Amino acid sequence: MSRDSPWTHVAWMQALDLDTPLLSDWNAEATKGFGVAFEYNGMQDVSERSAFLIDGDGVIRGAWRYDTAELPDFDVLVAAARAL
């Protein structure tokens, strides 16, 4: 999920040949709800780089935050998801 528009997500899905839908937080509802909104270069409610692991019942099982220039360790995220 990102603040990008649904149309941008379609372009990313095509470019990366993804078969999983991407979710758009166009109005920043999730960004605010997860407490990861901040101001960046005059833009309000930009999402901090973060990852949340949510189980099938909607319970948050893990949360990670990263510096703006830091890339998530995807192996850690995938391992956490597989451990559910």
Side-chain angles (χ1 to χ4, degrees):
M1 179 184 302
S2 78
R3 291 288 319 274
D4 288 335
S5 73
W7 304 278
T8 302
H9 285 173
V10 169
W12 275 113
M13 289 173 62
Q14 292 170 347
L16 299 172
D17 195 27
L18 299 175
D19 60 0
T20 302
L22 301 175
L23 300 175
S24 176
D25 185 27
W26 186 249
N27 295 316
E29 291 174 19
T31 297
K32 293 173 187 174
F34 282 105
V36 294
F38 75 110
E39 182 181 335
Y40 179 76
N41 286 342
M43 295 180 288
Q44 297 294 318
D45 301 325
V46 173
S47 300
E48 291 180 354
R49 185 164 287 180
S50 51
F52 297 91
L53 179 59
I54 303 169
D55 71 14
D57 294 323
V59 176
I60 298 173
R61 299 294 183 169
W64 298 262
R65 286 190 179 181
Y66 306 94
D67 290 333
T68 303
E70 184 181 9
L71 289 176
D73 184 336
F74 293 106
D75 292 333
V76 169
L77 299 175
V78 170
R82 287 187 175 145
L84 287 182

